[in-house]
Amino acid sequence: MSPSSSDRARVRALLQPGERISYLFPASMVGGPYSSSHFLFAVTDTSITVLDTGLDGRTRPNAVWRRYPRRTKLGPVDLSVIPEFQLGGRVYEVDEEYVAEIHAADAEWSADAMPPDPLPHL
């Protein structure tokens, strides 16, 4: 389920001033002390912010849990059974519908996302 406009407003309130959301998706942590915990990942122009949703559902953020530099990669996404990715030494499961968002977010900062400049000397 995608975050509603009111949930997006809550996300913006938890971000740094001036940050613009590029991608926003829910994920659940696998294993560890926060096993089965739900989080929202807000990929902005300056950071990847992981927001804790507590017991209020998968899309209603309560607090910033972790913040990573924007150049941090989320992928690759393991598609073997349930799509999952690793970030900060933790594994997160994500619904299949959000895999494209993760790939798009990573492609924005990937050196090989764009073809090489054919005329670099100009």
Side-chain angles (χ1 to χ4, degrees):
M1 179 165 128
S2 296
S4 68
S5 59
S6 62
D7 292 335
R8 286 177 175 275
R10 285 186 190 92
V11 168
R12 280 191 288 280
L14 294 168
L15 296 175
Q16 298 293 325
E19 278 188 291
R20 292 184 327 270
I21 299 171
S22 299
Y23 305 96
L24 183 63
F25 60 91
S28 301
M29 188 181 294
V30 179
Y34 297 96
S35 181
S36 299
S37 295
H38 301 293
F39 298 90
L40 266 180
F41 283 74
V43 180
T44 73
D45 52 336
T46 59
S47 72
I48 296 175
T49 303
V50 184
L51 303 157
D52 185 6
T53 61
L55 300 174
D56 293 334
R58 289 184 64 189
T59 60
R60 179 173 278 166
N62 294 321
V64 173
W65 190 66
R66 296 281 190 272
R67 188 179 306 274
Y68 298 92
R70 177 57 188 96
R71 290 188 181 266
T72 305
K73 289 187 64 115
L74 295 165
V77 178
D78 179 359
L79 299 171
S80 4
V81 180
I82 295 173
E84 60 183 39
F85 63 95
Q86 292 185 31
L87 181 64
R90 294 171 177 85
V91 178
Y92 298 90
E93 290 182 345
V94 65
D95 292 339
E96 193 171 317
E97 68 186 280
Y98 300 108
V99 172
E101 287 189 47
I102 293 170
H103 289 165
D106 283 350
E108 286 181 2
W109 290 100
S110 176
D112 59 354
M114 299 295 291
D117 185 353
L119 304 170
H121 56 284
L122 295 180

